[in-house]
């Protein structure tokens, strides 16, 4: 990691997402059931037992793996719980293309509400630095890294080919996780928009800005981020810098043409600028599909093709 990349990540912690406490809890991965056949692969459930001197926190991990010896894996947080994943994710498409999926309900790490810290993993972790305490996106990003590290203990996973992926707010978490955790082979952000993969300096009518996002979801961020409401251009960092900081690892941004709130033009400009900033040291992909805010099978086909070229290898 270069000095400039380190500066960018430090500044995003200070001004946007907050700084996570230095915590290395004990983590145990325990199987909850035997693998069940699922099309071109199998499904299994596992439990992460996260322990510190303050207590324990349990997180359920759903794992879908293809019928191969060792496979690359997309790792993500989901919105509605693991029981909903098989109905909403194109699992068969992933398995047939030789990719696994590892997913956790985001609320299992911290519920998505202002008082969620009282029920989440934060309650057993050390206190964060007072100058820039982390928000919920920081907790989710931390959780993704915990999952990545534990996947390395499973024999059928290519631990060097774990890809962080997320949609919308979980795309913000995936980018922040991969920026801090160089163990991810690549990161994919789908429609993460403001504070994720679109430029703050691209101001367009009908798009989300710092005032809007901190007005509704201020708890996602460090408290000082709200100070830049209506002062977006004065924020010391912008999202193209975050994308560029992940190089030389591959980055991909997906966008929908009708997803005005996420600012597709701002997302494209962030990608174009990130390519210039990293000097070609890492691929930064982009697609704009028809339609609105969602993670669709069409998006997944783009992501699989990109990873086939830039991540997947024997």
């Amino acid at each position: 990691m270069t000095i400039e990349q380190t500066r960018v990540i430090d500044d995003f912690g200070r001004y946007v997402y907050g700084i996570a406490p230095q915590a290395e809890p004990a983590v145990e991965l325990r199987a909850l059931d035997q693998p069940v056949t699922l099309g071109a692969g199998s499904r299994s459930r596992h439990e992460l037992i996260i322990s510190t001197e303050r207590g324990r926190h349990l997180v359920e991990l759903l794992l879908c793996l293809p019928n191969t010896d060792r496979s690359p894996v997309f790792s993500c947080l989901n919105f509605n719980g693991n029981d909903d994943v098989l109905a909403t994710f194109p699992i068969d498409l992933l398995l047939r293309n030789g990719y696994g999926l590892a997913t956790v309900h985001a609320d299992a790490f911290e519920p998505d509400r202002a008082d969620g810290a009282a029920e989440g993993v934060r309650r057993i972790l050390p206190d964060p630095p007072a100058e820039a305490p982390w928000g919920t996106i920081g907790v989710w990003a931390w959780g993704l890294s915990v999952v990545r590290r534990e996947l390395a203990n499973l024999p059928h996973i290519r631990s060097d080919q774990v890809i962080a992926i997320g949609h919308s707010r979980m795309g913000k978490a995936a980018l922040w996780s991969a920026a801090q955790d160089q163990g991810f082979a690549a990161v994919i952000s789908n429609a993460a928009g403001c504070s994720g993969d679109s430029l703050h300096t691209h101001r367009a009518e009908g798009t989300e800005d710092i005032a809007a996002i901190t007005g509704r979801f201020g708890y996602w961020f460090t408290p000082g981020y709200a100070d830049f409401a209506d002062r977006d251009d004065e924020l010391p960092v912008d999202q193209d810098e975050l994308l560029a900081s992940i190089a030389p690892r591959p980055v991909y941004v997906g966008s929908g043409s009708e997803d005005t709130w996420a600012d597709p033009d701002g997302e494209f400009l962030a990608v174009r600028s990130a390519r210039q900033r990293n000097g070609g040291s890492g691929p930064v992909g982009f697609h704009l599909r028809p339609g609105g805010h969602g993670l669709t099978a069409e998006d997944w086909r783009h992501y699989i093709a990109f990873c086939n070229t830039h991540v997947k290898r024997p």
Side-chain angles (χ1 to χ4, degrees), residues 37-42 65-69 95:
T37 299
L38 183 69
S42 62
L65 293 177
N67 293 325
T68 56
D69 287 338
L95 297 178

Side-chain angles (χ1 to χ4, degrees), residues 166-168 171-172 175 189-200 202 204 207-208 238-240 243 251-275 284-289 291-294 303:
H167 167 63
S168 193
K172 306 180 207 301
L175 287 170
S189 173
N190 189 83
C194 178
S195 314
D197 54 22
S198 66
L199 289 176
H200 291 296
H202 181 259
T207 62
E208 193 171 27
D238 210 338
Q239 301 309 123
D240 58 333
L243 299 180
V251 179
Y252 197 105
V253 172
S255 185
S257 62
E258 299 173 23
D259 191 7
T260 304
W261 194 238
D263 190 9
D265 289 340
E267 291 173 319
F268 169 72
L269 291 172
V271 166
R272 188 173 69 177
S273 178
R275 290 170 178 165
V284 187
F286 178 81
H287 75 258
L288 178 68
R289 57 156 174 78
H293 193 66
Y303 302 145

Side-chain angles (χ1 to χ4, degrees), residues 107-122:
D107 281 9
F109 281 113
E110 180 160 306
D112 188 8
R113 59 177 192 267
D115 61 352
E119 297 178 21
V121 69
R122 235 193 291 196

Side-chain angles (χ1 to χ4, degrees), residues 67-112:
N67 293 325
T68 56
D69 287 338
R70 298 173 70 219
S71 65
V73 169
F74 290 101
S75 182
C76 69
L77 301 178
N78 65 72
F79 286 87
N80 299 317
N82 291 348
D83 291 341
D84 188 60
V85 167
L86 297 182
T88 57
F89 282 61
I91 302 298
D92 188 59
L93 176 67
L94 299 179
L95 297 178
R96 284 188 288 103
N97 281 276
Y99 289 89
L101 177 74
T103 186
V104 168
H105 187 201
D107 281 9
F109 281 113
E110 180 160 306
D112 188 8

